[in-house]
Amino acid sequence: MKKKILSILLVAAMSVTLLAGCTPKKSGGDSGTDKKASGKTIGVAMPTQSSERWINDGKNMKEKLEKLGYKVDLQYAEDDVQAQVSQIENLIAGGADCLVVAAVDSSALVNVLAQAKTAKIPVIAYDRLLMDTDAVSYYATFDNKGVGTTIAKYVEEKMDLKNAAANKKSYTFEMFMGSPDDNNAKMLYDGIMEVIQPYIDSKVLVCESGQTSFEKTNTLRWDQQTAMKRCEDILSRYYSSKKLDLVLSAFDGLSYGCKSALEGAGYKVGTDWPLITGQDAELMACKNIIAGSQTMSIFKDTRTLADKAVTMVQAVLEGKEPEINDTKQYNNGKLVVPSYLCTPQAVDKDNLTKVIVDSGYYTQAQLDK
Ligand code: BGC
């Protein structure tokens, strides 16, 4: 009985928390979308302009929100945690009506988001989950574990891993994972491991450095130079008398770092170049895929993500219901954040034109330049 009362209280407390996060600062007038939007300012805090995808994310969000009549204050923190805290403080002080945040460090915004909650400013987590806070109402992202399984299943198929043992084949591999302060990075890693662990166990996949844990393979801030240096070090220490067959990279930026390291070590495209994965289908990555120096990437259509995030902004400000398709996976330590997960898609030279060009993400002219 006691247990039942406790769980009822818990559910009630969680709903209040969620509603508190959802309560708009100012109440709107009539129900016309444009009228409700007019005069309201959305603060959009993005992590960095060093990677193309976040530039597109910011641009898409700004365009879509402005089209609805909102004013947009778009900020980039250039991967500086403290700068992002200050930017969000300024957005709150400047009277933002709603915040959309893609964190540099997902756990570093607890205090500033508490300030937003006190000021009754609803917060939407954009692509990266905001951890350890009850100030967040909704989360728009991609299926982050799905990114990992999609990468690994691509490799499984391309390298014919299912038949490798029978064919007496084995491949060397190394892993370059994302930032430890980004919840997405660990989920992606888990997705990869779910698929490849049996091949590691059966020695079809052999990691010469032995570095396969998330702790050993993560890359702070998803930094290209850090990945390049780690790859150089691994190549010189473990691959002087062997070739590296597979680079499991969690992001195009890390793939560029590994590409430089491989070139430095004398690997040549078309002869001994390894299979290299990636994420984001950046323009440069797509060009590398065409040239053969990267094998695949994960296309995340940031236009769709922005659409979903915008419906969440409208929901918290105008009392609408956004579409949610996950209420289980994204526990941020304080609550399970209602989420919309967009679907990631693998791209390689065979489907690049169809997926990327035909959908208008990049033009053929951009790829040819
Ligand atoms: C995003 C990835 C991106 C990475 C580095 C992650 O949070 O989900 O799409 O590649 O950050 O910017």
Coordinates of all heavy atoms in Angstrom, one line a residue, residues 29-91:
G29 N -2.4 35.2 -26.8 CA -3.8 35.8 -27.0 C -4.7 34.8 -27.6 O -5.0 33.8 -27.0
D30 N -5.1 35.0 -28.9 CA -6.0 34.1 -29.5 C -5.2 32.9 -30.1 O -4.0 32.7 -29.8 CB -6.8 34.8 -30.7 CG -5.8 35.4 -31.7 OD1 -4.8 34.8 -32.0 OD2 -6.1 36.5 -32.1
S31 N -5.8 32.1 -30.9 CA -5.2 30.8 -31.3 C -4.4 30.9 -32.6 O -3.8 29.9 -33.0 CB -6.2 29.7 -31.3 OG -7.2 30.0 -32.3
G32 N -4.4 32.0 -33.3 CA -3.7 32.1 -34.6 C -2.2 32.0 -34.4 O -1.6 32.7 -33.6
T33 N -1.5 31.0 -35.1 CA -0.1 30.8 -34.9 C 0.7 32.0 -35.0 O 1.5 32.3 -34.1 CB 0.4 29.7 -35.9 OG1 -0.5 28.6 -35.8 CG2 1.8 29.3 -35.6
D34 N 0.6 32.7 -36.1 CA 1.4 33.9 -36.3 C 1.2 35.0 -35.2 O 2.2 35.5 -34.8 CB 1.1 34.5 -37.7 CG 1.6 33.6 -38.8 OD1 2.4 32.7 -38.5 OD2 1.2 33.7 -39.9
K35 N 0.0 35.2 -34.9 CA -0.3 36.2 -33.8 C 0.4 35.8 -32.5 O 1.0 36.6 -31.8 CB -1.8 36.4 -33.6 CG -2.4 37.4 -34.6 CD -3.8 37.8 -34.1 CE -4.4 38.6 -35.2 NZ -5.9 38.4 -35.3
K36 N 0.3 34.5 -32.2 CA 0.9 34.1 -31.0 C 2.4 34.2 -31.0 O 3.0 34.5 -30.0 CB 0.5 32.6 -30.7 CG -0.9 32.5 -30.2 CD -1.1 31.2 -29.5 CE -2.4 31.2 -28.7 NZ -2.4 30.1 -27.8
A37 N 3.0 33.9 -32.2 CA 4.4 34.0 -32.3 C 4.9 35.4 -32.2 O 6.0 35.6 -31.7 CB 4.8 33.3 -33.6
S38 N 4.1 36.3 -32.7 CA 4.7 37.7 -32.9 C 5.1 38.3 -31.6 O 4.4 38.2 -30.6 CB 3.7 38.6 -33.7 OG 2.7 39.0 -32.8
G39 N 6.3 38.9 -31.6 CA 6.8 39.5 -30.4 C 7.5 38.6 -29.5 O 8.2 39.0 -28.6
K40 N 7.4 37.3 -29.7 CA 8.1 36.4 -28.9 C 9.5 36.1 -29.4 O 9.7 36.0 -30.6 CB 7.3 35.1 -28.7 CG 6.0 35.3 -28.0 CD 5.5 34.1 -27.4 CE 4.4 34.5 -26.4 NZ 3.3 33.5 -26.4
T41 N 10.4 35.9 -28.5 CA 11.8 35.7 -28.9 C 12.3 34.3 -28.4 O 12.0 33.9 -27.3 CB 12.7 36.7 -28.2 OG1 12.3 38.0 -28.6 CG2 14.2 36.5 -28.6
I42 N 12.9 33.6 -29.4 CA 13.4 32.3 -29.1 C 14.9 32.4 -29.0 O 15.6 32.8 -30.0 CB 13.0 31.2 -30.1 CG1 11.5 31.4 -30.5 CG2 13.3 29.8 -29.7 CD1 10.5 31.2 -29.4
G43 N 15.5 32.0 -27.9 CA 17.0 31.9 -27.8 C 17.4 30.6 -28.2 O 17.0 29.6 -27.7
V44 N 18.3 30.6 -29.2 CA 18.8 29.3 -29.7 C 20.3 29.2 -29.4 O 21.1 30.1 -29.9 CB 18.6 29.2 -31.3 CG1 19.2 27.8 -31.8 CG2 17.1 29.3 -31.6
A45 N 20.7 28.3 -28.6 CA 22.1 28.2 -28.1 C 22.7 27.0 -28.8 O 22.4 25.8 -28.5 CB 22.2 28.1 -26.6
M46 N 23.7 27.2 -29.7 CA 24.3 26.1 -30.4 C 25.7 25.9 -30.0 O 26.4 26.9 -29.5 CB 24.3 26.4 -31.9 CG 22.9 26.3 -32.6 SD 22.5 24.6 -32.9 CE 20.7 24.7 -32.9
P47 N 26.3 24.7 -30.1 CA 27.6 24.5 -29.5 C 28.8 25.1 -30.3 O 29.7 25.6 -29.6 CB 27.7 22.9 -29.5 CG 26.8 22.5 -30.6 CD 25.7 23.5 -30.7
T48 N 28.8 25.0 -31.6 CA 30.1 25.4 -32.3 C 29.8 25.6 -33.8 O 28.9 25.1 -34.4 CB 31.2 24.3 -32.2 OG1 32.3 24.7 -32.9 CG2 30.7 23.0 -32.7
Q49 N 30.6 26.5 -34.4 CA 30.6 26.6 -35.8 C 31.7 25.9 -36.5 O 31.9 26.0 -37.7 CB 30.6 28.1 -36.2 CG 29.4 28.9 -35.7 CD 29.4 30.3 -36.1 OE1 29.0 30.7 -37.1 NE2 30.0 31.1 -35.2
S50 N 32.5 25.1 -35.7 CA 33.7 24.5 -36.3 C 33.2 23.3 -37.1 O 34.0 22.7 -37.9 CB 34.6 24.0 -35.2 OG 34.1 23.0 -34.5
S51 N 32.0 22.8 -36.9 CA 31.5 21.7 -37.7 C 30.2 22.2 -38.5 O 29.3 22.8 -37.9 CB 31.2 20.5 -36.8 OG 30.0 19.9 -37.2
E52 N 30.2 21.8 -39.7 CA 29.2 22.3 -40.6 C 27.8 22.0 -40.2 O 26.9 22.8 -40.4 CB 29.5 21.6 -42.0 CG 28.7 22.0 -43.1 CD 29.1 21.1 -44.3 OE1 30.2 21.1 -44.8 OE2 28.2 20.2 -44.5
R53 N 27.6 20.9 -39.6 CA 26.2 20.5 -39.3 C 25.5 21.5 -38.3 O 24.4 21.9 -38.5 CB 26.0 19.1 -38.7 CG 26.5 18.9 -37.3 CD 25.6 17.8 -36.6 NE 24.2 18.3 -36.4 CZ 23.4 17.6 -35.7 NH1 23.6 16.4 -35.2 NH2 22.2 18.1 -35.4
W54 N 26.3 22.0 -37.3 CA 25.7 23.0 -36.4 C 25.4 24.3 -37.0 O 24.5 25.0 -36.6 CB 26.6 23.1 -35.1 CG 26.8 21.8 -34.4 CD1 27.9 21.1 -34.3 CD2 25.8 21.1 -33.7 NE1 27.7 19.9 -33.6 CE2 26.4 19.9 -33.3 CE3 24.4 21.3 -33.5 CZ2 25.7 18.9 -32.5 CZ3 23.7 20.3 -32.8 CH2 24.4 19.1 -32.3
I55 N 26.2 24.7 -38.1 CA 25.9 25.9 -38.8 C 24.5 25.7 -39.5 O 23.6 26.6 -39.4 CB 27.0 26.2 -39.8 CG1 28.3 26.4 -39.1 CG2 26.6 27.4 -40.7 CD1 29.5 26.6 -40.0
N56 N 24.3 24.6 -40.1 CA 23.1 24.3 -40.8 C 21.9 24.2 -39.8 O 20.8 24.7 -40.1 CB 23.1 22.9 -41.5 CG 24.0 23.0 -42.7 OD1 24.3 24.1 -43.3 ND2 24.6 21.9 -43.1
D57 N 22.2 23.6 -38.7 CA 21.1 23.5 -37.6 C 20.6 24.9 -37.2 O 19.4 25.1 -37.1 CB 21.7 22.8 -36.4 CG 21.7 21.2 -36.6 OD1 20.7 20.6 -36.7 OD2 22.9 20.7 -36.6
G58 N 21.6 25.8 -36.9 CA 21.3 27.1 -36.5 C 20.5 27.9 -37.6 O 19.5 28.5 -37.3
K59 N 21.0 27.7 -38.8 CA 20.4 28.4 -39.9 C 18.9 27.9 -40.1 O 18.0 28.7 -40.2 CB 21.2 28.1 -41.2 CG 20.9 29.0 -42.4 CD 22.0 28.7 -43.4 CE 21.4 28.8 -44.8 NZ 21.0 27.5 -45.4
N60 N 18.8 26.6 -40.1 CA 17.4 26.0 -40.3 C 16.5 26.5 -39.2 O 15.3 26.9 -39.5 CB 17.5 24.5 -40.2 CG 18.1 23.9 -41.4 OD1 18.2 24.5 -42.5 ND2 18.7 22.7 -41.3
M61 N 16.9 26.5 -37.9 CA 16.0 26.8 -36.8 C 15.6 28.3 -37.0 O 14.5 28.7 -36.8 CB 16.8 26.7 -35.5 CG 16.9 25.2 -35.0 SD 15.2 24.5 -34.8 CE 14.6 25.4 -33.3
K62 N 16.6 29.2 -37.3 CA 16.3 30.6 -37.4 C 15.3 30.8 -38.5 O 14.3 31.5 -38.3 CB 17.7 31.3 -37.7 CG 17.6 32.8 -37.5 CD 19.0 33.3 -37.5 CE 19.2 34.8 -37.7 NZ 18.2 35.7 -37.7
E63 N 15.6 30.2 -39.7 CA 14.6 30.5 -40.8 C 13.2 30.0 -40.5 O 12.2 30.7 -40.7 CB 15.1 29.7 -42.0 CG 16.2 30.4 -42.8 CD 16.8 29.6 -43.9 OE1 16.3 28.5 -44.2 OE2 17.9 30.0 -44.3
K64 N 13.1 28.8 -39.9 CA 11.8 28.2 -39.7 C 11.0 29.0 -38.6 O 9.8 29.2 -38.7 CB 11.9 26.7 -39.3 CG 12.3 25.9 -40.5 CD 12.5 24.4 -40.1 CE 13.3 23.7 -41.2 NZ 12.5 23.2 -42.3
L65 N 11.8 29.4 -37.5 CA 11.1 30.1 -36.5 C 10.7 31.5 -36.9 O 9.6 32.0 -36.6 CB 12.0 30.2 -35.2 CG 12.2 28.9 -34.4 CD1 13.4 29.1 -33.5 CD2 10.9 28.6 -33.7
E66 N 11.6 32.2 -37.7 CA 11.2 33.5 -38.2 C 10.0 33.5 -39.2 O 9.2 34.4 -39.2 CB 12.5 34.1 -38.9 CG 13.5 34.6 -37.8 CD 14.8 35.2 -38.4 OE1 15.0 35.1 -39.6 OE2 15.5 35.8 -37.6
K67 N 10.0 32.4 -39.9 CA 8.8 32.3 -40.9 C 7.5 32.2 -40.1 O 6.5 32.7 -40.6 CB 9.0 31.0 -41.6 CG 8.4 31.0 -43.0 CD 8.9 29.8 -43.8 CE 8.1 29.8 -45.1 NZ 8.2 28.5 -45.8
L68 N 7.6 31.7 -38.9 CA 6.3 31.6 -38.1 C 6.1 32.9 -37.3 O 5.1 33.1 -36.6 CB 6.5 30.5 -37.0 CG 6.4 29.1 -37.6 CD1 6.7 28.1 -36.6 CD2 4.9 28.8 -38.1
G69 N 7.0 33.9 -37.4 CA 6.8 35.2 -36.8 C 7.6 35.4 -35.5 O 7.4 36.4 -34.8
Y70 N 8.4 34.4 -35.1 CA 9.2 34.5 -33.9 C 10.4 35.4 -34.2 O 10.9 35.4 -35.3 CB 9.6 33.2 -33.3 CG 8.5 32.3 -32.8 CD1 8.1 31.2 -33.6 CD2 7.9 32.6 -31.6 CE1 7.1 30.4 -33.1 CE2 6.9 31.7 -31.1 CZ 6.5 30.6 -31.9 OH 5.5 29.8 -31.4
K71 N 10.9 36.0 -33.1 CA 12.3 36.6 -33.3 C 13.2 35.6 -32.8 O 12.9 34.8 -31.9 CB 12.4 37.9 -32.4 CG 11.6 39.1 -32.9 CD 12.0 40.3 -32.1 CE 11.0 41.3 -32.2 NZ 10.6 41.9 -30.9
V72 N 14.4 35.6 -33.4 CA 15.4 34.6 -33.0 C 16.7 35.2 -32.6 O 17.3 36.0 -33.3 CB 15.6 33.6 -34.1 CG1 16.7 32.5 -33.8 CG2 14.3 32.9 -34.5
D73 N 17.2 34.8 -31.4 CA 18.5 35.2 -31.0 C 19.4 33.9 -31.0 O 19.3 33.1 -30.1 CB 18.5 35.8 -29.6 CG 19.8 36.5 -29.2 OD1 20.8 36.2 -29.8 OD2 19.8 37.3 -28.2
L74 N 20.2 33.8 -32.1 CA 21.0 32.6 -32.3 C 22.5 32.8 -31.8 O 23.1 33.8 -32.2 CB 21.0 32.3 -33.8 CG 22.0 31.2 -34.3 CD1 21.6 29.8 -33.7 CD2 21.9 31.1 -35.8
Q75 N 22.9 31.9 -30.9 CA 24.3 32.1 -30.3 C 25.1 30.8 -30.5 O 24.5 29.7 -30.5 CB 24.1 32.2 -28.8 CG 23.3 33.5 -28.3 CD 24.1 34.7 -28.6 OE1 25.3 34.8 -28.5 NE2 23.4 35.8 -28.9
Y76 N 26.4 31.0 -30.8 CA 27.3 29.8 -30.9 C 28.4 30.0 -29.8 O 28.9 31.0 -29.7 CB 28.0 29.8 -32.3 CG 27.1 29.3 -33.4 CD1 26.3 30.1 -34.1 CD2 27.0 27.9 -33.6 CE1 25.5 29.6 -35.1 CE2 26.2 27.4 -34.6 CZ 25.4 28.2 -35.3 OH 24.6 27.7 -36.3
A77 N 28.6 28.9 -29.1 CA 29.6 29.0 -28.0 C 31.0 28.5 -28.3 O 31.9 28.6 -27.5 CB 29.1 28.1 -26.8
E78 N 31.2 28.1 -29.6 CA 32.5 27.7 -30.1 C 33.2 26.7 -29.1 O 34.3 26.8 -28.8 CB 33.4 28.9 -30.4 CG 32.8 29.9 -31.3 CD 32.1 29.4 -32.6 OE1 32.2 28.2 -32.9 OE2 31.4 30.2 -33.2
D79 N 32.4 25.7 -28.7 CA 32.8 24.6 -27.8 C 33.4 25.1 -26.5 O 34.1 24.3 -25.8 CB 33.8 23.7 -28.5 CG 33.1 22.6 -29.4 OD1 31.9 22.4 -29.1 OD2 33.7 22.1 -30.3
D80 N 33.1 26.3 -26.0 CA 33.5 26.8 -24.8 C 32.4 26.7 -23.8 O 31.4 27.4 -23.9 CB 34.0 28.2 -25.0 CG 34.5 28.9 -23.7 OD1 34.0 28.5 -22.6 OD2 35.4 29.7 -23.8
V81 N 32.5 25.8 -22.8 CA 31.4 25.5 -21.8 C 31.0 26.8 -21.1 O 29.8 27.1 -21.0 CB 31.9 24.5 -20.8 CG1 30.8 24.2 -19.8 CG2 32.3 23.2 -21.5
Q82 N 32.0 27.6 -20.6 CA 31.6 28.8 -19.9 C 30.9 29.8 -20.8 O 30.0 30.5 -20.3 CB 32.9 29.4 -19.2 CG 32.8 29.8 -17.8 CD 31.6 29.3 -17.0 OE1 31.4 28.1 -16.7 NE2 30.7 30.3 -16.8
A83 N 31.4 29.9 -22.0 CA 30.8 30.9 -22.9 C 29.3 30.5 -23.1 O 28.5 31.4 -23.2 CB 31.6 30.9 -24.3
Q84 N 29.0 29.2 -23.2 CA 27.6 28.8 -23.4 C 26.8 29.2 -22.2 O 25.7 29.7 -22.3 CB 27.5 27.4 -23.8 CG 26.1 27.0 -24.2 CD 26.0 25.7 -24.9 OE1 26.4 24.7 -24.3 NE2 25.4 25.6 -26.0
V85 N 27.3 29.0 -21.0 CA 26.6 29.4 -19.8 C 26.3 30.9 -19.9 O 25.1 31.3 -19.6 CB 27.4 29.0 -18.5 CG1 26.8 29.6 -17.3 CG2 27.6 27.5 -18.4
S86 N 27.3 31.7 -20.2 CA 27.1 33.1 -20.2 C 26.1 33.5 -21.3 O 25.2 34.4 -21.1 CB 28.4 33.9 -20.6 OG 29.4 33.5 -19.7
Q87 N 26.1 32.8 -22.5 CA 25.2 33.1 -23.5 C 23.7 32.9 -23.1 O 22.8 33.6 -23.3 CB 25.5 32.3 -24.8 CG 26.7 32.8 -25.5 CD 27.1 31.9 -26.7 OE1 26.7 30.8 -26.8 NE2 28.0 32.4 -27.5
I88 N 23.6 31.7 -22.4 CA 22.2 31.4 -21.9 C 21.8 32.4 -20.8 O 20.6 32.8 -20.8 CB 22.1 29.9 -21.5 CG1 22.4 29.0 -22.7 CG2 20.8 29.6 -20.9 CD1 22.5 27.5 -22.4
E89 N 22.7 32.8 -20.0 CA 22.3 33.8 -18.9 C 21.9 35.0 -19.6 O 20.9 35.6 -19.2 CB 23.6 34.1 -18.1 CG 23.7 33.1 -16.9 CD 25.1 33.2 -16.2 OE1 25.9 34.1 -16.7 OE2 25.3 32.5 -15.3
N90 N 22.6 35.4 -20.7 CA 22.2 36.7 -21.4 C 20.8 36.5 -22.1 O 20.1 37.5 -22.1 CB 23.3 37.0 -22.4 CG 24.5 37.5 -21.8 OD1 24.5 38.0 -20.6 ND2 25.7 37.4 -22.5
L91 N 20.6 35.3 -22.6 CA 19.3 35.1 -23.3 C 18.2 35.2 -22.3 O 17.1 35.8 -22.6 CB 19.3 33.7 -24.0 CG 20.2 33.6 -25.2 CD1 20.3 32.1 -25.6 CD2 19.6 34.4 -26.4

